[in-house]
Amino acid sequence: MATTPLAQEKVWFEKPMYDKAECLHFERLAKVDSIATFATTSGSSPEYGSRIVVLEKENQELKNIVAELKSIVGRLDERVKILEDRPPGIDPMRIAICPAKPPSPTPPKPTAKDDDDDDVDLFGSESEGEDEEAAKVREERLAAYAAKKSKKPALIAKSNIILDVKPWDDETDMKAMETEVRKIETEGLLWGAAKLVPLAYGIHKLQISSVVEDEKVSVDWLTEQIEAIEDYVQSVDIAAFNKI
């Protein structure tokens, strides 16, 4: 059966697409004409007409940006939905951050050779091989160390004591009182410098320093010895007490 050349043309099947394109073309022309007409009738200059065209272009760009943002929000919604669909009790951030724990390797099975090594006593061989001469040397070294340590002089604890010795009145001979105080002597006692410190109404007190060994001289004993000088001394106070 013969076909006409017109039946072989595809333009008839694509006519709706062509019609749509032609419609869009005329719509754009009409929009440009309307803008030009508005600019002419309103007395605006061509500059305002071009400005309107620029604003329409910017408006279209904003629409494109809004469409892109909507697409991004849609993808985020899908991700949130996936995270919300996870089983309860599981932290999605931990799943994303912490990798899965690798399986622990299976320890190798002990061989017959390893069993033989376990039976070896490494420390026993050393103690058993120690002879009498090595033990004798060790004992001699220990004895020498103990003897050296015993000869080391022990640290003697000492204290620096400053005493305030008060007289009866202003007529007391302070020089004589200091002499009587210094007459107190015993092992572990050493007198130091002394000076007169004014009290009141012309009365002075004798402030004298001393160094004592704590194990040999007590503070109470020293105070009692000074107060025993009743002709000159009324009382004794401790002004300072420091360990040396």
Side-chain angles (χ1 to χ4, degrees), residues 5 12 31 33 47 94 108 129 149 158 168-169 175 184:
W12 301 103
K31 184 181 294 185
D33 292 339
E47 182 179 355
R94 185 169 181 175
K149 189 175 180 181
K158 295 181 180 181
W168 289 104
D169 50 30
K175 279 287 186 182
I184 302 173

Side-chain angles (χ1 to χ4, degrees), residues 30-45:
K31 184 181 294 185
V32 174
D33 292 339
S34 63
I35 293 173
T37 303
F38 173 77
T40 303
T41 56
S42 59
S44 301
S45 62

Side-chain angles (χ1 to χ4, degrees), residues 4 36 39 53-54 63-64 89 101 117 139 150 152 207 212 235:
T4 62
V53 174
V54 172
K63 289 182 179 180
N64 295 336
K101 184 179 179 180
D117 293 340
E139 291 177 358
S150 62
K152 187 177 180 180
Q207 192 171 80
V212 299
S235 62

